[in-house]
Amino acid sequence: MSAIESVLVENRVFPPSAAFTAQANVKPADLDAMRAHAERDHAGFWADLAREHLIWSKPFSRSLDDSKAPFYTWFADGELNASYNCLDRHLGTPVADKTAIIFEADDGAVTKITYRELLRRVCRFANGLKGLGYQKGDRSIIYLPMSIEAVIAMQACARLGITHSVVFGGFSAKSLQERIIDVGATLVIAADEQMRGGKAIALKPAVDEAFAMGGCDAVRHTIVYRRTGGNVAWGAKDIDWAKVEGGQSDDCPAVMVGAEHPLFVLYTSGSTGKPKGVQHSTGGYLLQALMSMKWTFDIKPADVFWCTADVGWVTGHSYVTYGPLAAGATEIVFEGVPTYPNAGRFWEMIQRHRCTVFYTAPTAIRSLIKAAEVNPAFAPDKYDLSSLRLLGSVGEPINPEAWMWYYRNIGGERCPIVDTFWQTETGTHMINPMPGVTPLVPGSCTLPLPGIFPAVVDETGADVPNGMAGMLVMKKPWPSMIRTIWGDPERFRKTYFPEELKGCYLAGDGAVRDTERGFFRIVGRIDDVLNVSGHRLGTMEVESALVANTALVAEAAVVGRPDDTTGEAIVAFVVLKGARPADRESAAKMARELRDWVGKEIGPIAKPKDIRFGDNLPKTRSGKIMRRLLRAIAKGEEITQDVSTLENPAILEQLKQSL
């Protein structure tokens, strides 16, 4: 396999401002010292942080155990509790009576809860679970909308040592059934319905359907939170959330667990085939969730932090349920979607709640760029965003033009953007700018966090020179890393630690380090690398070139299909800023224009052979583009996969129409 060619060049650089650096949690000298410590004593570096920042009921005596690599353990003989470290630790401090969560419902109703009140509710719900016979070692499925209750359910399970597996509310009954069976759940916590974009979407009926499919007999109870009061069927196993929590004591001692106790199992979304149950520990995971709040987000006591991710994804675990609460932050939790009741919803919420740190996905940014151009009444300049001091990007590489729009229009050219590379499997941030130290380069996640050791290698595990793309790997283990695939250790070993990479963790992404600073840029998934006439091109680079045509293109997704002449042909699915072409002739003209544009931006080899226009792209309700469906469309294959997780399944028929 030859190296992936990197064809994008980005010369814009934005150094941190002196004002931001002066107040930053991490200053240049601090970062140098941390990196030197981690280089000199990797395990000791993390051990010192764990002792300083987490509360242990039983101190650990050993940091890293690599004797059974790649099944690494961290702080294994220590004991602690994640919920205690998120809630109880703040009692007796000013944080106790500080607002923990500002919850904004789909309809705009706002509910606030302090740390003390949140702890009481978590304890009452945990006592209710104990009363039903649940205890350390049980596994639960949580199927709830974004809500204070979702955080309570996760924290209550953690408090009792119940391993939770959160299933995104957009997933189908079949997806739910598969996860219930695979994780061996004995408890399901669900809602009657969820509200999204002004519409009630049923959840409890999907649970009933999952049970009807069979294999879920181990489930003893389904606890149902009445979000809407919708009319749903109640069965013998069903219990009203209010009855579980009602009448319970406000005090529930946290159950201390070993640092390696599974805090949660989170299934990958299925965009790459059969879901994998990614198993995370308690101690190592929580340590890095907390440290990344301090390092990446420069979190301060006065901050109002908003991560827009759903708790059904790892971003919502690390930066809604665990990281912000362990850090004692005030955070916004939002039930709805960014375009309801209009495309100014995010900006209006930032203005109203005086949000200071805002963390969202490139997909949301691109869709809001288009929305602002379609209706300038909802452009960000119509809102007061002056409270913002730091921005973040998560979920996929952000193309440089979207980065620039975000920097100028949302951050007012004063807010650093932390473009974060990490994965469900890594648990927390791996590569991103340290906002008071690292110069920013649009489209680059820059440099690794202290204690993280990434590299770009070829298929033999040998480092490739800067400027040449290859496979992104991690050369040393880290505390928040995946421990195994639930119930399938061999799949874990083969997927993430293939023998040819000599003990390195395989991220599954292609990357390149620039020749100027050694900054990392993610060029797309390894399985999203195109081989066109012997040239290996990352799909991300072609997508970025298309979106760089800011006059025409709002969003683009690129995949490959077999081609007799070139081996593989590039197929681009494009969402225009204006209306979709009305006829074949105008579509062909637009496609020619965009092909020529890509040829000029990258080179003739990168011109898409087929360009299809859609009103949008097939996305999950969290905004993730389902590229496997696009690959099937490009190849002319029948789509047999479950598409119930899509926000917009009807778009698939539109995109099948080729020029």
Side-chain angles (χ1 to χ4, degrees):
M1 181 184 76
S2 58
I4 306 165
E5 295 183 36
S6 179
V7 287
L8 280 185
V9 177
E10 180 54 66
N11 296 315
R12 292 168 289 192
V13 181
F14 301 86
S17 71
F20 196 98
T21 299
Q23 63 80 60
N25 289 341
V26 177
K27 296 179 173 60
D30 303 325
L31 183 56
D32 290 343
M34 285 193 289
R35 288 200 167 127
H37 185 181
E39 191 75 49
R40 184 177 65 252
D41 180 9
H42 176 235
F45 169 76
W46 288 112
D48 288 351
L49 291 171
R51 292 187 181 102
E52 180 182 354
H53 293 279
L54 295 182
I55 298 172
W56 300 83
S57 62
K58 177 189 172 189
F60 58 89
S61 63
R62 182 176 184 181
S63 176
L64 168 65
D65 183 350
D66 58 3
S67 61
K68 297 179 181 178
F71 299 95
Y72 299 99
T73 63
W74 288 86
F75 325 125
D77 61 344
E79 293 182 0
L80 75 171
N81 181 276
S83 177
Y84 188 97
N85 273 274
C86 290
L87 301 174
D88 306 61
R89 73 180 303 162
H90 302 305
L91 295 179
T93 77
V95 175
D97 294 306
K98 173 182 174 179
T99 298
I101 295 173
I102 302 167
F103 172 65
E104 180 156 324
D106 187 65
D107 65 1
V110 174
T111 306
K112 297 181 181 181
I113 187 169
T114 67
Y115 274 87
R116 193 184 304 278
E117 292 164 343
L118 182 60
L119 173 59
R120 287 170 179 161
R121 285 204 60 192
V122 168
C123 285
R124 290 200 295 269
F125 191 67
N127 280 326
L129 295 181
K130 279 203 296 188
L132 294 172
Y134 292 101
Q135 59 186 345
K136 174 181 169 182
D138 278 321
R139 272 93 62 198
S140 68
I141 289 284
I142 297 174
Y143 191 54
L144 291 168
M146 284 296 284
S147 55
I148 292 172
E149 283 70 23
V151 175
I152 289 170
M154 295 167 76
Q155 287 281 344
C157 287
R159 194 165 193 84
L160 298 179
I162 298 168
T163 299
H164 63 65
S165 184
V166 182
V167 179
F168 174 57
F171 277 2
S172 66
K174 180 63 177 172
S175 299
L176 192 59
Q177 181 227 22
E178 290 171 349
R179 288 155 173 77
I180 291 170
I181 293 171
D182 193 73
V183 82
T186 56
L187 169 67
V188 172
I189 304 171
D192 53 1
E193 295 177 317
Q194 62 178 334
M195 295 300 300
R196 287 181 68 85
K199 298 175 183 175
I201 301 168
L203 293 180
K204 174 60 165 55
V207 178
D208 296 338
E209 187 181 342
F211 289 169
M213 292 174 181
C216 304
D217 295 342
V219 175
R220 303 198 304 273
H221 301 96
T222 299
I223 297 171
V224 183
Y225 164 56
R226 293 179 184 258
R227 165 62 186 90
T228 65
N231 186 22
V232 297
W234 288 78
K237 294 182 177 181
D238 299 339
I239 307 175
D240 191 327
W241 174 298
K243 290 184 178 178
V244 174
E245 190 180 338
Q248 297 291 344
S249 167
D250 288 347
D251 180 47
C252 177
V255 175
M256 298 298 158
V257 299
E260 284 296 315
H261 179 78
L263 178 60
F264 63 89
V265 175
L266 185 58
Y267 287 83
T268 55
S269 64
S271 62
T272 53
K274 183 179 182 291
K276 303 186 293 281
V278 174
Q279 179 180 321
H280 277 291
S281 71
T282 297
Y285 168 80
L286 191 65
L287 173 65
Q288 283 193 244
L290 174 55
M291 296 318 303
S292 54
M293 288 295 299
K294 295 172 184 282
W295 292 346
T296 302
F297 296 124
D298 190 51
I299 206 74
K300 302 285 198 300
D303 277 320
V304 177
F305 174 81
W306 184 14
C307 169
T308 66
D310 192 282
V311 291
W313 310 111
V314 72
T315 307
H317 282 57
S318 301
Y319 302 111
V320 175
T321 298
Y322 292 110
L325 297 180
T330 294
E331 65 170 321
I332 297 168
V333 172
F334 176 46
E335 180 181 36
V337 296
T339 53
Y340 176 82
N342 57 61
R345 183 68 180 268
F346 273 7
W347 322 136
E348 192 271 334
M349 286 179 62
I350 290 170
Q351 173 180 281
R352 178 172 26 178
H353 300 304
R354 305 304 292 161
C355 173
T356 60
V357 180
F358 180 63
Y359 191 39
T360 197
T363 299
I365 295 165
R366 287 191 294 265
S367 67
L368 292 168
I369 293 172
K370 180 178 180 181
E373 291 178 348
V374 170
N375 191 338
F378 304 118
D381 63 4
K382 302 296 189 294
Y383 301 84
D384 177 7
L385 305 182
S386 61
S387 62
L388 289 169
R389 67 179 195 88
L390 188 144
L391 303 174
S393 173
V394 59
E396 61 185 285
I398 182 169
N399 57 286
E401 294 313 315
W403 191 103
M404 288 302 305
W405 185 91
Y406 195 29
Y407 183 70
R408 289 174 179 147
N409 294 277
I410 309 306
E413 300 188 10
R414 71 181 186 281
C415 299
I417 297 177
V418 286
D419 178 4
T420 58
F421 168 79
W422 60 297
Q423 305 169 308
T424 303
E425 293 88 346
T426 71
T428 58
H429 300 153
M430 302 295 280
I431 309 174
N432 57 253
M434 203 71 86
V437 181
T438 317
L440 308 176
V441 174
S444 170
C445 51
T446 70
L447 294 171
L449 294 182
I452 305 299
F453 294 88
V456 181
V457 303
D458 64 19
E459 62 181 358
T460 69
D463 288 13
V464 301
N466 287 2
M468 181 68 73
M471 297 183 292
L472 181 64
V473 300
M474 302 295 158
K475 291 200 166 184
K476 294 183 180 181
W478 63 99
S480 68
M481 69 190 297
I482 177 177
R483 293 312 196 253
T484 188
I485 292 174
W486 183 266
D488 200 344
E490 191 53 35
R491 187 182 181 193
F492 164 76
R493 186 195 297 270
K494 287 180 177 177
T495 301
Y496 301 110
F497 292 90
E499 287 184 18
E500 59 271 22
L501 294 186
K502 306 177 182 68
C504 291
Y505 167 87
L506 177 64
D509 285 290
V512 62
R513 301 190 74 172
D514 69 39
T515 54
E516 293 280 314
R517 299 173 180 80
F519 280 10
F520 286 83
R521 181 163 52 82
I522 308 301
V523 298
R525 297 290 296 170
I526 292 171
D527 54 11
D528 285 340
V529 172
L530 308 171
N531 194 329
V532 183
S533 299
H535 298 267
R536 291 173 56 77
L537 302 172
T539 56
M540 175 61 195
E541 302 201 281
V542 184
E543 290 172 8
S544 287
L546 284 162
V547 177
N549 190 326
T550 54
L552 295 178
V553 179
E555 196 165 14
V558 167
V559 298
R561 64 169 167 77
D563 186 89
D564 292 340
T565 304
T566 59
E568 200 165 15
I570 298 172
V571 182
F573 297 86
V574 173
V575 180
L576 296 171
K577 288 191 170 177
R580 194 163 56 95
D583 54 62
R584 293 177 67 86
E585 185 177 343
S586 56
K589 181 181 177 183
M590 178 67 73
R592 281 195 301 272
E593 185 175 347
L594 291 177
R595 270 196 290 270
D596 290 343
W597 172 272
V598 172
K600 194 169 86 172
E601 288 283 298
I602 296 180
I605 194 67
K607 286 185 178 182
K609 189 161 189 175
D610 184 3
I611 296 183
R612 305 188 186 194
F613 300 101
D615 294 330
N616 45 56
L617 298 172
K619 298 176 185 176
T620 65
R621 290 175 194 172
S622 70
K624 183 171 184 176
I625 298 169
M626 299 291 274
R627 284 177 169 80
R628 64 186 171 92
L629 299 178
L630 293 178
R631 282 193 286 270
I633 291 172
K635 294 175 183 177
E637 297 172 349
E638 201 62 38
I639 294 175
T640 57
Q641 302 102 317
D642 179 11
V643 297
S644 64
T645 62
L646 292 183
E647 182 84 64
N648 50 351
I651 197 63
L652 298 175
E653 288 304 315
Q654 190 183 88
L655 294 174
K656 287 179 184 178
Q657 306 307 313
S658 171
L659 294 176

